[in-house]
Amino acid sequence: MAYRNKTYVCFASEDIKSYWLMTAWKENTHIDFNFYDAHDLANVLDTSQPETIRRRLRERLANTKQAVLLVGDLTRQKAADPKRFLHYELDVLTRLELPIVIANLNGSRVGETSRIPRMISDYYTMSVSFQPKIIMYALENYVPEFLANLRIARPKTGGYHYKSSVYRQLGI
C-alpha cells in the first residue's frame, strides 16, 4: 500500500498556467504555500497511449492524500466527457473517497454550480478562491473535516465554502 502524502492538482488543459502558478507559489520564499505535488511522480508523456496515461494517473492518485481541482471556464464541460482525463481523475478521486478542494480561477469564494463538474456536485467539497492562503487553509482544515465526515452516520454532501470572516482572518 502506498503512503498517501501528496496533493493532486486536477485541471482542464486550458488551465495549465494556473497549475504552473501554484508550483511557482510553492517555490517562492515570500509566499507561505507548500504541498507535496503528485504530478512530480511518474512522468506521463503527451505521446503516451490513453491506457498508459490512465495507469500513470492511477499511480499518482495512489499516493494522493487530497486534491485541488482548478475550476475554470471549461472544467465542467471537460469533466463531463468520459474520454477526457479530467473525468477519469475525478472519478478515481471520488471512488477513493479523497477530499477535493475546489479553487475557483475566476476568484469566486463560493462554489458556482454552473462551473463545478456534475459528477462531484453531491460530493462533499470545499470551494475557495484561487489564492495561496485560502487554498492552504482549506488543505489544513477541510481535509481533516472531510476524513472525519467519512466516519459519521449522516455525512455531509455537496459543496461548501468558507465565510467571509475566514478570508478576513487570513488577510485576503
Side-chain angles (χ1 to χ4, degrees), residues 3 14 24 26 28 46 52 59 66 70 92 95 100 102 106-107 113 123 126 128-129 141 144 152 159:
Y3 178 67
E14 292 77 10
K26 181 179 167 184
N28 188 326
D46 290 338
T52 303
E59 290 169 11
Q66 59 207 6
L70 305 181
V92 172
R95 281 192 281 121
I100 302 172
I102 295 172
N106 67 356
T113 310
Y123 195 74
M126 183 61 67
V128 299
S129 59
N141 293 278
I152 61 175

Side-chain angles (χ1 to χ4, degrees), residues 43-44 48-59:
N43 213 5
V44 176
S48 297
Q49 296 296 316
E51 304 82 38
T52 303
I53 294 172
R54 282 187 178 85
R55 187 176 67 248
R56 294 281 170 82
L57 290 172
R58 182 77 170 131
E59 290 169 11

Side-chain angles (χ1 to χ4, degrees), residues 22 25 33 67-71 100-112 116 125-139 142 159-163 166-167 170 172:
M22 285 181 72
W25 292 341
F33 185 80
V68 175
L69 171 62
L70 305 181
V71 173
I100 302 172
V101 174
I102 295 172
N104 296 297
L105 299 180
N106 67 356
S108 177
R109 294 178 173 186
V110 300
E112 297 176 350
I116 294 174
T125 60
M126 183 61 67
S127 288
V128 299
S129 59
F130 182 66
Q131 296 173 284
K133 283 185 180 181
I134 193 66
I135 293 171
M136 280 307 300
Y137 182 88
L139 292 174
Y142 153 74
Y160 286 78
H161 63 273
Y162 292 114
K163 295 179 181 180
V166 172
Y167 285 85
L170 295 171
I172 50 178

Side-chain angles (χ1 to χ4, degrees), residues 26-101:
K26 181 179 167 184
E27 298 302 318
N28 188 326
T29 58
H30 300 292
I31 298 175
D32 186 18
F33 185 80
N34 193 19
F35 63 100
Y36 293 104
D37 188 0
H39 285 280
D40 286 344
L41 301 175
N43 213 5
V44 176
L45 302 175
D46 290 338
T47 58
S48 297
Q49 296 296 316
E51 304 82 38
T52 303
I53 294 172
R54 282 187 178 85
R55 187 176 67 248
R56 294 281 170 82
L57 290 172
R58 182 77 170 131
E59 290 169 11
R60 289 177 178 174
L61 292 167
N63 287 294
T64 296
K65 172 185 173 185
Q66 59 207 6
V68 175
L69 171 62
L70 305 181
V71 173
D73 295 335
L74 298 176
T75 305
R76 182 180 174 114
Q77 174 187 338
K78 294 254 178 136
D81 184 349
K83 296 176 188 162
R84 300 281 184 168
F85 295 119
L86 181 58
H87 178 90
Y88 177 79
E89 292 166 330
L90 292 174
D91 180 55
V92 172
L93 287 168
T94 56
R95 281 192 281 121
L96 292 174
E97 296 183 316
L98 294 173
I100 302 172
V101 174

